[in-house]
Amino acid sequence: MIQLSRWKVIVLIAALVLGLLLALPNVLSPSQRAALPGFMPKNTLNLGLDLQGGSYLLLEVDVDAMRTKRIDNLIEDIRVGLREAGIATNQITRELGGAVVTLADPSQAEAAYQELRKLIGAPGANGAAERAATRLSDGRVRLAFTQQTLDTMGATAVDQSIEVVRRRIDSLGTREPSITRQGAERIVVQAPGESDPAALERVIGQTAQLTFQMVDTENSIQDALAGRVPPDAQLLVGDDGQTPYLVKKRILVSGENLTKAEVSADQSGRPAIGFRFDGQGARRFGEATAANIGKPFAIILDGKVISAPTINGAILGGSGIIEGTFTIAQASELVNLLNGGALPAPLTVEERRTVTAELGADAVQNGKISTIIGFVIIVVFMILAYGFLFGGISVIGLVLNGLLIIAAMSLTQATLTLPGIAGLVLTFAVAVDANVLIYERMRDEARAGRSVIASLDAGFNKAMGTIIDANLTTLVAAMIMFIFGAGPVRGFAWTLTIGVFTSVFSSVLVAQVLLAYWLKIKRPKTLPIAESVR
């Protein structure tokens, strides 16, 4: 095991060269990195929120509001479906998870039930439909979400919100944001380098729910303003916050069918928003515009009418533009929101915090100092305990270990946080721990009278089992922290995980190669550490 193997030397040199190449961009200026040849890596360590400053938001997903909205849509589907089928109703009563319909003519109960079955929809990803229709007594029928759908609605909304928030932050150019779930209905957003939490909050918090609905021209807007709003309509305001609109509740097409949005221009050259639907959305939009030529329809974003043009002809291509009083900045921000997708539920900001760059710089400086102090203490201890030869070999392995950690984190674009620096210091201790185990086994074997070669071989062979067990235990603990932790805890766990692999590799391989080389050149009669004082 202590023989000077060619493949071990090759692996060690390759690891050293690769580590230098990957770590090099971290010590270069941005202009120097840009001047590097194309084949050279240019990724650097990403500093977390606590090291470079940025914004922190704690968001809560309003699951109750989402459930209410989905039930409202279900009730409107019932109202429109039964009306188009010619089935009169006396009352539609909201209940938990759905609605109960009381029919004007109980003899139409079976026909109403069959109509509601058409509203169940296709099975979801789990093979079951989200809705269920039920016959009740006294000429009543019920349409409601299944219990399974209600149980998973909250978790699904949080998962979808995390993905939408991630896409929106990415559109801002924020590098390596941390977006994690906290509890059942909360999301933690950490955006390093984002110094304007108000802009971040504005982009994240807007629901961006885009719908196309017909304007109600059959009823009086004055009656609606007086409180007499028809049951199948709703009173909204324009994006100026003042102009009232009476629109039908039924949604013709929604932003879910949107495939692309882009900044465009209207006929007057003013900023507008171009949009394109998918196949289903294009078909529904074409049918709706063909059936309502000459009538106005409302384009609604988050409950505000941003435009209400008149349909001059069927729009069959599935694309168009949204005109309004947009500035270039407003149109660009709205396009980013639409392309990022709509939030399934409103988000409320529970906590906002800004970490200044100065505070992050202090943390970086303190981290450097603590890392240097820890490194120096370890170096002094190893040299005093095992001499310049064996202690120096451990120090060389320690330097290679630190180089490989920086290289691995740069390659994977992992984010280094303040707890991550603590994990880095701990990794140095873990790295020399392997050397301590190997050297102590060698010392015991040499004092037992075995030869130098036998002592070296026994030291590596007998210590490897303990080294693997110890590092495997650390690795399991780090994985648990990474899976169940959040934010800084995950940063600590990730740094520690990388350190476990690099420390075992560097400490064992460096010791094997350099000690084999020493043994081949010097051919010693005794083992130096066997004569040193414990």
Side-chain angles (χ1 to χ4, degrees):
M1 191 168 185
I2 197 60
Q3 294 178 354
L4 188 59
S5 172
R6 179 179 298 177
W7 72 266
K8 291 181 181 179
V9 176
I10 293 175
V11 170
L12 185 59
I13 294 175
L16 179 61
V17 172
L18 184 61
L20 287 172
L21 287 176
L22 292 173
L24 178 62
N26 293 281
V27 297
L28 300 178
S29 65
S31 60
Q32 290 173 326
R33 287 197 298 270
L36 290 173
F39 65 89
M40 291 282 289
K42 298 180 177 62
N43 291 337
T44 60
L45 276 174
N46 292 322
L47 299 182
L49 179 69
D50 50 1
L51 295 183
Q52 68 165 312
S55 300
Y56 170 97
L57 293 175
L58 176 61
L59 309 171
E60 184 166 9
V61 182
D62 194 344
V63 178
D64 290 338
M66 181 198 66
R67 288 195 180 103
T68 300
K69 182 177 180 180
R70 294 195 66 178
I71 293 174
D72 286 342
N73 292 338
L74 178 142
I75 292 175
E76 190 58 28
D77 287 343
I78 292 174
R79 192 190 313 277
V80 174
L82 295 181
R83 183 178 61 199
E84 292 180 350
I87 300 175
T89 62
N90 280 341
Q91 187 179 15
I92 300 178
T93 306
R94 175 194 293 270
E95 62 173 23
L96 181 63
V100 174
V101 182
T102 303
L103 301 173
D105 183 1
S107 65
Q108 292 185 304
E110 181 60 27
Y113 171 72
Q114 295 301 328
E115 285 298 324
L116 295 188
R117 282 180 55 85
K118 296 178 182 179
L119 302 176
I120 291 177
N126 59 358
E130 289 189 341
R131 300 172 175 180
T134 310
R135 299 183 185 90
L136 301 177
S137 59
D138 302 327
R140 296 179 301 153
V141 288
R142 180 175 183 266
L143 183 66
F145 291 103
T146 64
Q147 189 59 48
Q148 181 181 5
T149 301
L150 293 174
D151 292 340
T152 60
M153 200 174 284
T156 302
V158 175
D159 291 339
Q160 292 174 349
S161 298
I162 289 175
E163 185 58 32
V164 172
V165 168
R166 188 182 308 280
R167 289 198 297 266
R168 291 185 181 181
I169 293 180
D170 287 344
S171 70
L172 295 176
T174 302
R175 197 174 182 187
E176 286 298 313
S178 172
I179 305 169
T180 55
R181 178 197 294 264
Q182 185 179 90
E185 298 176 357
R186 289 186 171 185
I187 301 172
V188 174
V189 178
Q190 298 183 69
E194 180 58 57
S195 59
D196 187 2
L200 186 67
E201 183 179 333
R202 185 175 65 252
V203 172
I204 290 176
Q206 190 166 342
T207 309
Q209 187 66 256
L210 181 71
T211 60
F212 294 79
Q213 299 167 222
M214 294 303 301
V215 174
D216 190 344
T217 57
E218 301 170 358
N219 296 285
S220 169
I221 186 70
Q222 285 74 24
D223 289 344
L225 290 172
R228 296 184 293 274
V229 181
D232 62 343
Q234 58 186 149
L235 190 62
L236 301 177
V237 296
D239 56 355
D240 59 0
Q242 297 179 352
T243 307
Y245 291 90
L246 186 63
V247 300
K248 295 288 188 179
K249 286 184 178 179
R250 189 182 188 186
I251 297 174
L252 303 177
V253 190
S254 71
E256 296 176 356
N257 301 111
L258 197 68
T259 59
K260 183 181 180 182
E262 59 187 355
V263 178
S264 181
D266 59 16
Q267 295 177 348
S268 303
R270 293 173 299 187
I273 298 167
F275 64 88
R276 179 174 294 278
F277 292 122
D278 58 16
Q280 181 186 21
R283 178 181 56 79
R284 294 172 61 183
F285 193 60
E287 292 175 352
T289 53
N292 293 280
I293 294 176
K295 298 179 181 179
F297 73 102
I299 303 173
I300 302 169
L301 180 68
D302 289 346
K304 291 185 178 180
V305 178
I306 59 176
S307 182
T310 299
I311 302 173
N312 295 321
I315 304 175
L316 304 177
S319 62
I321 63 169
I322 302 173
E323 299 177 355
T325 56
F326 304 116
T327 63
I328 292 291
Q330 290 172 337
S332 298
E333 184 175 301
L334 185 54
V335 163
N336 287 335
L337 290 173
L338 294 176
N339 285 329
L343 287 169
L347 297 178
T348 56
V349 179
E350 297 293 321
E351 180 184 354
R352 59 178 63 84
R353 190 164 68 241
T354 303
V355 179
T356 63
E358 291 78 10
L359 182 60
D362 291 341
V364 172
Q365 185 62 28
N366 293 335
K368 288 180 180 177
I369 294 173
S370 63
T371 303
I372 292 172
I373 292 175
F375 181 80
V376 170
I377 291 175
I378 293 172
V379 169
V380 172
F381 170 79
M382 293 301 293
I383 291 178
L384 291 178
Y386 300 105
F388 284 100
L389 174 62
F390 284 77
I393 289 174
S394 298
V395 173
I396 293 174
L398 200 61
V399 172
L400 179 61
N401 180 43
L403 184 65
L404 292 178
I405 291 176
I406 295 174
M409 295 190 70
S410 299
L411 179 65
T412 59
Q413 287 292 275
T415 301
L416 181 64
T417 60
L418 191 59
I421 294 178
L424 191 62
V425 176
L426 179 60
T427 298
F428 287 154
V430 172
V432 296
D433 183 60
N435 290 118
V436 170
L437 290 171
I438 293 171
Y439 292 165
E440 288 300 323
R441 293 302 304 180
M442 290 179 181
R443 178 179 282 172
D444 291 341
E445 297 296 326
R447 288 177 174 174
R450 303 187 69 175
S451 66
V452 174
I453 296 179
S455 298
L456 293 176
D457 276 335
F460 283 106
N461 290 328
K462 294 184 178 181
M464 281 306 296
T466 306
I467 292 172
I468 292 175
D469 288 345
N471 283 278
L472 188 60
T473 304
T474 305
L475 185 61
V476 170
M479 291 177 64
I480 292 173
M481 286 190 291
F482 186 82
I483 293 172
F484 295 102
V489 176
R490 299 188 76 180
F492 173 81
W494 182 243
T495 306
L496 188 60
T497 300
I498 293 176
V500 167
F501 290 102
T502 58
S503 63
V504 173
F505 172 82
S506 59
S507 60
V508 175
L509 188 62
V510 168
Q512 284 183 348
V513 171
L514 295 184
L515 286 177
Y517 184 77
W518 167 75
L519 188 64
K520 180 180 180 180
I521 299 298
K522 294 293 184 179
R523 299 185 181 278
K525 302 297 182 182
T526 59
L527 197 65
I529 56 175
E531 302 169 359
S532 60
V533 181
R534 285 182 180 269

